[in-house]
């Protein structure tokens, strides 16, 4: 997809040092938290509030595959996951979950931001493990 077409799906788009910022369409966002960058053959997105990229794309009626440019009528960049990256995701998310569970067992309560990040880790971990098992 052309970056300009993609940006047209978003609100409050502004230029940044490395690309663009816009309001994330997946959550109630009044201040831009979605980072958008032009990659070599795809558009890179990241929501600083922690929204899943697939959910961000789904909220504007698109899929992750739409972030890739077409060549000769075919989609390029069908995700080829690097096992090292997947193992790292599994490791880091597992550690975060364990740390939060340890904190939950103590007298200190998790902050709202820690709870939000824990929810994200619990959502990412099974997905990463599933993809890793399929590799």
């Amino acid at each position: 997809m052309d970056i300009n077409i993609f940006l047209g799906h978003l609100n409050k788009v502004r230029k940044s040092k490395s690309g663009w910022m816009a309001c994330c369409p997946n959550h109630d966002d009044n201040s831009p938290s979605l980072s958008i960058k032009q990659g070599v053959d795809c558009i890179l997105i990241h929501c600083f509030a922690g929204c899943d990229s697939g959910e961000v794309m789904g909220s504007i009626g698109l899929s992750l595959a739409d972030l890739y440019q077409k060549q000769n009528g075919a989609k390029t960049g069908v995700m080829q996951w690097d096992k090292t990256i997947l193992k790292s995701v599994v490791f880091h998310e597992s550690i975060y979950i364990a740390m939060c569970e340890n904190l939950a067992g103590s007298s200190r309560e998790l902050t709202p931001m820690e709870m939000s990040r824990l929810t994200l880790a619990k959502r990412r971990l099974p997905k990463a493990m599933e993809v890793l098992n399929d590799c």
Side-chain angles (χ1 to χ4, degrees):
M1 170 177 289
D2 179 78
I3 189 79
N4 293 312
I5 293 172
F6 178 70
L7 293 173
H9 288 277
L10 305 171
N11 293 320
K12 295 187 181 177
V13 177
R14 63 175 169 78
K15 190 78 172 129
S16 68
K17 290 181 192 174
S18 59
W20 298 266
M21 291 296 294
C23 287
C24 177
N26 193 54
H27 70 273
D28 189 20
D29 197 4
N30 295 321
S31 177
S33 65
L34 184 68
S35 171
I36 306 109
K37 298 177 185 176
Q38 178 65 63
V40 174
D41 65 349
C42 65
I43 299 168
L44 306 171
I45 62 171
H46 174 75
C47 176
F48 286 99
C51 293
D52 178 79
S53 296
E55 292 173 4
V56 171
M57 295 300 289
S59 67
I60 55 175
L62 299 172
S63 70
L64 288 173
D66 292 315
L67 293 174
Y68 291 88
Q69 294 178 1
K70 292 182 181 181
Q71 288 183 344
N72 300 327
K75 297 262 184 195
T76 62
V78 173
M79 284 192 189
Q80 298 297 318
W81 294 99
D82 182 327
K83 284 186 179 184
T84 305
I85 293 171
L86 286 169
K87 287 177 183 177
S88 176
V89 168
V90 168
F91 175 76
H92 287 97
E93 300 300 358
S94 297
I95 293 294
Y96 192 83
I97 291 168
M99 288 182 347
C100 288
E101 287 174 351
N102 188 37
L103 282 175
S106 71
S107 59
R108 180 183 171 285
E109 290 187 25
L110 297 175
T111 67
M113 184 169 276
E114 289 168 334
M115 288 296 295
S116 177
R117 178 62 182 87
L118 177 60
T119 301
L120 181 63
K122 286 182 174 181
R123 200 170 62 220
R124 283 180 176 165
L125 182 59
K127 287 181 183 179
M129 290 174 65
E130 179 183 337
V131 174
L132 186 59
N133 289 332
D134 290 343
C135 288

